């Protein structure tokens, strides 16, 4: 898979509509290669995650952003299905609480960062503060900023802050992977219809989904601008075709695996002293066996 094709080149102005095919599947098909590759990558991921945990020098932060029904939840569910739950955490960012609004917009993300050795997933993220808040300027009012700090300059300023924040993370061993699941407006409608028509999926449908759909073009503009300014060498954006869920899952798993592979992590090697202790422990355990067999002979 040509992973680079999904990356937004730092500083480049993109058009989601013209430059990115939401239905792209490359040479893959659902039943054959893609499924096999996904299962294989899920296994690889479990192995990498085990080493990440043992080594305890790095963490991996995976950010998912998307329009509603693009498949964030199911991608997280599938891609992470083989991972030891102890080494993984998922945070879903909703509308900020009043406590969160009493802090700067990055505060709640700081608290949710994965510690070394772990994979942390942000289901939505601080990017909402340059997306939904940009599409709905009244949300900025709720953020209780001083009047002099509001205004149109705020978006460029936030892009810069986000880039610096991510640079800080990367400089501290927290690798940042960012995915935008790129679903078409038509496919979103199909998925909403399914949620409406399938009783087991009704709970997933929310009236606000339809409301936000009306702002589709505004969201696309906000996303395009965010990608242009926050796709960096140290934390690039990946735009993943999302009209076919099976392709989305496979592509995300592939990119996560390749990122972990790039880190070239290995299980920690034990010191001479630690090795001696291991050998002593082995002797003690073996002596227990000998004692047991002597007492059972008596
Ligand atoms: P799904 O609908 O698939 O269950 P979701 O991520 O859309 O998942 P919801 O509870 O439907 O979850 O929506 C969360 C909402 O919170 C989104 O509309 C999002 O834009 C909003 N939100 C998240 N962060 C912020 C923020 N910082 N400011 C304002 N709104 C935010
Ligand atoms: Mg939603």
């Amino acid at each position: 898979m040509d992973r680079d094709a999904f990356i937004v080149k730092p500083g480049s102005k993109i058009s989601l509509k013209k430059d990115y095919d939401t239905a792209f599947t490359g040479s893959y098909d659902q039943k054959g290669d893609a499924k096999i590759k996904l299962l294989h990558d899920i296994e690889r991921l479990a192995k990498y995650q085990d080493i990440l945990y043992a080594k305890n020098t790095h963490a991996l932060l995976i950010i998912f952003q998307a329009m509603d029904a693009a498949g964030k939840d199911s991608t997280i569910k599938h891609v992470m299905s083989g991972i030891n739950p102890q080494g993984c955490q998922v945070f879903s960012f909703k509308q900020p609480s009043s406590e969160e609004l009493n802090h700067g917009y990055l505060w709640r993300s700081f608290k949710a960062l994965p510690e070394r050795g772990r994979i942390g997933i942000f289901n939505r993220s601080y990017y909402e503060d340059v997306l939904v808040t940009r599409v709905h300027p009244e949300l900025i009012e709720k953020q209780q900023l001083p009047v002099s700090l509001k205004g149109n300059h705020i978006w460029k300023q936030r892009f810069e802050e986000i880039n610096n924040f991510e640079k800080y993370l990367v400089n501290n061993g927290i690798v940042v992977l960012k995915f935008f699941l790129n679903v078409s407006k038509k496919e979103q409608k199909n998925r909403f219809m399914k949620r409406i028509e399938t009783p087991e999926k009704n709970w997933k449908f929310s009236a606000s989904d339809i409301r936000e759909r009306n702002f589709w073009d505004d969201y696309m503009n906000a996303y395009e601008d965010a990608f242009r300014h926050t796709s960096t060498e140290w934390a690039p954006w990946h735009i993943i075709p999302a009209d076919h869920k099976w392709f989305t899952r496979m592509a995300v798993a592939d990119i996560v695996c390749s990122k972990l592979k790039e880190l070239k992590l290995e299980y920690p090697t034990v010191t001479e002293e630690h090795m001696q202790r291991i050998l002593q422990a082995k002797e003690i355990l073996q002596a227990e066996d000998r004692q047991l067999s002597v007492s059972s002979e008596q």
Side-chain angles (χ1 to χ4, degrees), residues 144-156:
Q144 322 206 117
L145 293 163
V147 179
S148 60
L149 297 182
K150 286 187 239 176
N152 256 338
H153 65 283
I154 199 172
W155 312 118
K156 277 239 163 79

Side-chain angles (χ1 to χ4, degrees), residues 68 124 195 208-209:
D68 284 303
R124 300 190 187 271
R195 289 181 183 185
S208 72
D209 291 349

Side-chain angles (χ1 to χ4, degrees), residues 232-297:
T232 54
E233 297 291 348
W234 56 93
W237 272 104
H238 296 81
I239 298 184
I240 307 293
D243 280 358
H244 300 285
K245 284 189 172 189
W246 55 269
F247 183 81
T248 312
R249 292 166 194 162
M250 186 211 60
V252 168
D254 176 86
I255 293 165
V256 175
C257 276
S258 109
K259 192 73 205 176
L260 286 170
K261 187 177 176 199
E262 226 174 73
L263 297 179
K264 295 197 167 69
L265 296 178
E266 282 174 8
Y267 285 107
T269 47
V270 293
T271 59
E272 190 65 28
E273 195 190 340
H274 191 72
M275 200 39 148
Q276 286 302 327
R277 286 210 201 104
I278 290 177
L279 292 173
Q280 279 167 9
K282 188 176 173 188
E283 272 176 30
I284 293 169
L285 293 170
Q286 285 172 337
E288 266 182 25
D289 285 348
R290 282 197 295 278
Q291 267 180 352
L292 265 178
S293 63
V294 169
S295 55
S296 67
E297 277 166 22

Side-chain angles (χ1 to χ4, degrees), residues 29 91 140 276:
D29 72 88
F91 272 87
I140 278 290
Q276 286 302 327

